[in-house]
Amino acid sequence: MAVPIRTACSALCAGLVAALLTTVPEHAGQPPLHERAWAVHAAEAPHAPHARVTLDDATGTLDLTVSRDGRTVLEPSPLGIVTEGADLSRGLRFLHRKDRAVDEHYRTKSGKRLDRTVHMQETRLSFAGATGARLDLVVRASADGVAYRYVLPAGHGDVLGETSAFRLPAEADAWLSTYRADNEGQFAQYTAATAPTGAYSEQALFATPGGYALLAESDLTGGYSGARLAHTQGSGAYRVQLADERVEADGPLATTWRAVVAGDLATVTRSTFTDDLAPASEVADRSWIRPGTVLWTWLAGGRTAGQSLAAQKAYVDYAAERGWPYEAVDSGWYFKKDQWDVTDPDWETNSWMPELVAYARAKGVGIIVWIHQRDLDTPEERARWLPTLERWGVKGVKIDFMNSEAQSMLRWYDTILPETAAHHLMVDFHGSTVPKGIQRTWPQVMTLEGVGGEEKRTNTAAHLTTLPFTRNVIGSMDFTPGGFQRVGQRPDSDAAEVGLTVVYESGLQMFAGTPQSYDERPLARAFMDQVPAAWDDTRLLAGRPGQEAVLARRSGDRWFLGGVYAGAARTAGVPLALGPGKWLVETVRDGADGLVQDSQVLRGGATLTVDVVADGGFAALACPWRPGVTTCRRR
């Protein structure tokens, strides 16, 4: 039982664990003389990453190596977990191996593509520790990634940490975000070894000899703890550091998946590997879950708008005029008017929200409402809020300020997810963790922040061009593009801002501008009227993290293109890899006096050339061309 083990854990044991968790074992240039190894890879997939697990019989330690096409992705990286009852990072002896294929097909409500097919090879390696404790290491490999997790039986006590680490080639280019509890750090470029000593978000990208490698997690719940990467300058090692010093685990435990999305940049960008690792959907009836574009009112009107029914009705009118399916009411709507940030205790009877919802419904617009996590952190509060919002007809909730990946907060996620599903409320998490497979298991989660987004005034063009290859790879990202009114407070051009509505995927794509700013840019407004929030396919057309990102996303027979660039003005050449035949391409770019549009007919595979201003970009809409087709726009 956990309590006696916890009581027995001495100060000496704690000191040993601390030493284990702060030291990454270095391997000599040659492999140990006494070792055994097991390979795991998806044999049917060309250019797929190969995993190799090695046990050093002399020390009983495990490590994981990942390669691709015979070249290194991960150098030998230590594996292991330490609990109150056992040190399962050393002194291990092999018991047996079991293999199986994981073949699945599923559909999502949002993401890079709605239809997903999964083919993975899984190997379960069972070991016994020095005291006889059992450790199963489960490794999966697919065409675009390698992942592992630890599985322990009951009776091991609380988890005190992992000795897991990722060892990258020292010279590998690295794009890293300094760790913040809200995951809103800026991405910057280093090499794996030269990155400053500190903690980084786990969605770290490396350019290795074997291709790109994006680190990630999947299937993170309140049964475990979130993680960050701890790094010491001069080393290519990135240690897994849990958010909790002690993870409560009284019963059997399966840890989160530690994943490496691997391949060329197009493969990594298009990957759904972290979703593929996650459990199947817990929501049977998903007919009420409808992705869409949203007129978001926080950057458009701030606190004043949040407390004004008249202002919100005007925003609803504008959304209806544009054909945008949702309007989001942000902070302030249920606060006392004379005490900002203080909840009105009589909000259920005093609120004008039912009137707004009815007004919007008559115009074909759904309402999404902001709510602070503190107002949903007890069963009594949730029993008051969620049924009321459902009864009013609210379509979704934007829940803010979790700001933690500790086990206690993850347990709150475990509670709020089935409850929002039961009350037919779509969810946008802000100040939050990052997706980690959550959108497959809980498809009402349309998007999460966990990003340095449009609200930030410190963003750089390099950061904008890195996000498609890091944070947005692992799931929907509520960056909130379209803040045209923030001239001087954002690093990109107007055309790049239009392009971001496609470059960044989000099941609820929140537009951050004001109606006036849209009306002043009719070409941007017209393009945004066409943009969907659910995609049939996604392709990377051109890119390099920190320099440029051009993505194409398909909805039906139309492709939407978005490009964003960092650095000097240029004439960009973009391969039009959309398929055979002729395509009508309507491009919105920056001109001398504002946005301009070019229309041309190109063959699939030709090069689309676009004049791009410094730190600029473009947006384009492409559709199959035949005589008589003059535009790709539709009502």
Side-chain angles (χ1 to χ4, degrees):
M1 298 294 291
V3 174
I5 294 172
R6 184 181 300 117
T7 305
C9 189
S10 65
L12 179 61
C13 174
L16 173 61
V17 169
L20 286 169
L21 300 183
T22 55
T23 303
V24 175
E26 294 294 335
H27 292 254
Q30 298 296 322
L33 294 177
H34 304 287
E35 68 173 22
R36 63 183 75 189
W38 302 268
V40 187
H41 66 96
E44 73 284 355
H47 311 296
H50 286 226
R52 184 173 183 266
V53 177
T54 303
L55 173 67
D56 184 330
D57 284 330
T59 61
T61 57
L62 291 169
D63 62 43
L64 173 74
T65 305
V66 177
S67 63
R68 183 172 164 271
D69 293 334
R71 295 185 290 272
T72 298
V73 175
L74 280 187
E75 295 177 351
S77 300
L79 304 174
I81 187 169
V82 179
T83 74
E84 291 176 307
D87 175 6
L88 296 171
S89 69
R90 60 179 63 188
L92 299 174
R93 57 185 176 85
F94 177 65
L95 298 177
H96 52 79
R97 169 180 180 163
K98 183 178 181 180
D99 296 292
R100 73 181 183 106
V102 179
D103 296 304
E104 298 173 332
H105 180 82
Y106 66 98
R107 284 187 61 82
T108 65
K109 299 297 291 189
S110 59
K112 301 170 195 177
R113 57 187 177 277
L114 303 183
D115 211 40
R116 314 277 182 90
T117 299
V118 180
H119 298 297
M120 298 185 191
Q121 289 300 121
E122 179 184 286
T123 293
R124 180 181 289 253
L125 301 170
S126 298
F127 302 90
T131 62
R134 171 77 172 266
L135 169 68
D136 283 3
L137 174 69
V138 183
V139 182
R140 286 187 180 179
S142 75
D144 55 351
V146 169
Y148 70 87
R149 75 190 322 172
Y150 306 118
V151 177
L152 286 71
H156 52 74
D158 291 350
V159 174
L160 303 181
E162 295 183 24
T163 54
S164 315
F166 301 96
R167 295 186 71 228
L168 284 303
E171 69 282 0
D173 287 337
W175 293 269
L176 306 172
S177 172
T178 301
Y179 181 79
R180 290 173 41 144
D182 57 9
N183 291 289
E184 295 177 20
Q186 296 285 301
F187 279 90
Q189 184 175 350
Y190 310 95
T191 67
T194 60
T197 297
Y200 296 93
S201 293
E202 193 159 24
Q203 58 269 25
L205 180 70
F206 301 88
T208 74
Y212 284 86
L214 178 69
L215 309 185
E217 287 184 292
S218 183
D219 193 17
L220 176 63
T221 70
Y224 206 57
S225 178
R228 66 205 69 171
L229 300 173
H231 175 250
T232 300
Q233 191 171 45
S235 166
Y238 287 77
R239 294 183 292 105
V240 172
Q241 182 179 29
L242 300 180
D244 296 275
E245 292 184 2
R246 179 187 293 271
V247 181
E248 295 181 5
D250 291 334
L253 173 68
T255 69
T256 181
W257 289 104
R258 307 238 166 271
V260 182
V261 184
D264 58 26
L265 193 58
T267 297
V268 171
T269 307
R270 191 173 185 269
S271 173
T272 59
F273 187 55
T274 53
D275 282 345
D276 297 344
L277 289 165
S281 173
E282 293 282 352
V283 183
D285 174 19
R286 300 183 293 169
S287 60
W288 54 274
I289 304 172
R290 298 174 183 171
T293 53
V294 188
L295 193 160
W296 179 47
T297 62
W298 180 249
L299 293 187
R303 295 183 176 187
T304 301
Q307 294 192 326
S308 169
L309 174 61
Q312 295 300 327
K313 284 185 174 181
Y315 289 129
V316 166
D317 291 343
Y318 195 83
E321 178 186 332
R322 302 259 52 85
W324 299 348
Y326 298 107
E327 189 253 358
V329 184
D330 214 276
S331 181
W333 68 272
Y334 64 85
F335 292 160
K336 288 186 174 181
K337 281 192 173 292
D338 57 344
Q339 297 182 56
W340 180 260
D341 209 27
V342 176
T343 299
D344 180 353
D346 299 317
W347 61 268
E348 289 165 293
T349 54
N350 291 344
S351 179
W352 40 257
M353 188 57 67
E355 181 180 346
L356 178 67
V357 172
Y359 180 84
R361 183 190 300 115
K363 292 177 174 285
V365 176
I367 296 296
I368 295 165
V369 300
W370 178 97
I371 185 169
H372 201 297
Q373 187 273 339
R374 70 185 176 211
D375 294 313
L376 295 170
D377 63 356
T378 68
E380 294 77 18
E381 289 170 335
R382 292 190 296 274
R384 182 184 181 191
W385 277 94
L386 300 181
T388 300
L389 295 177
E390 181 185 25
R391 185 172 65 253
W392 286 351
V394 168
K395 299 300 183 183
V397 287
K398 174 181 173 180
I399 308 175
D400 208 346
F401 294 116
M402 283 67 72
N403 292 343
S404 172
E405 293 179 311
Q407 186 178 33
S408 57
M409 185 58 72
L410 294 175
R411 287 174 170 171
W412 174 84
Y413 280 101
D414 290 347
T415 301
I416 198 71
L417 287 165
E419 291 182 349
T420 51
H423 292 288
H424 301 100
L425 294 168
M426 295 183 293
V427 180
D428 172 2
F429 285 120
H430 260 236
S432 64
T433 184
V434 294
K436 302 184 182 182
I438 193 174
Q439 290 180 276
R440 178 182 180 185
T441 310
W442 298 101
Q444 83 275 16
V445 179
M446 307 307 294
T447 191
L448 300 89
E449 189 181 29
V451 65
E454 190 85 331
E455 290 184 82
K456 297 291 180 285
R457 301 185 182 186
T458 56
N459 283 344
T460 64
H463 175 67
L464 300 188
T465 61
T466 303
L467 289 175
F469 312 114
T470 51
R471 165 62 182 84
N472 211 186
V473 170
I474 59 176
S476 293
M477 180 177 77
D478 194 14
F479 182 91
T480 66
F484 297 105
Q485 74 278 17
R486 295 170 68 82
V487 176
Q489 298 176 354
R490 53 181 172 86
D492 59 339
S493 71
D494 278 357
E497 199 68 23
V498 183
L500 290 182
T501 66
V502 177
V503 173
Y504 297 156
E505 183 277 320
S506 181
L508 289 174
Q509 185 67 286
M510 301 252 181
F511 295 151
T514 62
Q516 179 183 353
S517 71
Y518 300 136
D519 291 343
E520 290 171 349
R521 298 164 178 82
L523 289 176
R525 183 187 63 195
F527 185 88
M528 294 163 70
D529 288 350
Q530 298 291 308
V531 173
W535 303 103
D536 296 310
D537 199 3
T538 292
R539 295 179 184 175
L540 176 67
L541 301 184
R544 169 71 176 175
Q547 298 179 21
E548 65 176 3
V550 183
L551 278 81
R553 302 189 192 272
R554 181 174 64 84
S555 175
D557 64 350
R558 297 191 298 171
W559 286 91
F560 291 76
L561 283 64
V564 59
Y565 298 79
R570 72 200 73 179
T571 298
V574 178
L576 202 66
L578 308 180
K582 292 185 177 181
W583 296 86
L584 174 61
V585 183
E586 299 174 289
T587 305
V588 177
R589 59 177 176 82
D590 296 293
D593 299 313
L595 296 174
V596 296
Q597 179 171 295
D598 304 318
S599 295
Q600 55 188 312
V601 176
L602 296 172
R603 287 192 175 276
T607 298
L608 172 68
T609 59
V610 184
D611 290 332
V612 176
V613 302
D615 294 336
F618 72 93
L621 179 55
C623 59
W625 180 85
R626 63 182 182 277
V629 173
T630 59
T631 182
C632 295
R633 297 181 188 175
R634 299 171 185 167
R635 280 185 70 84

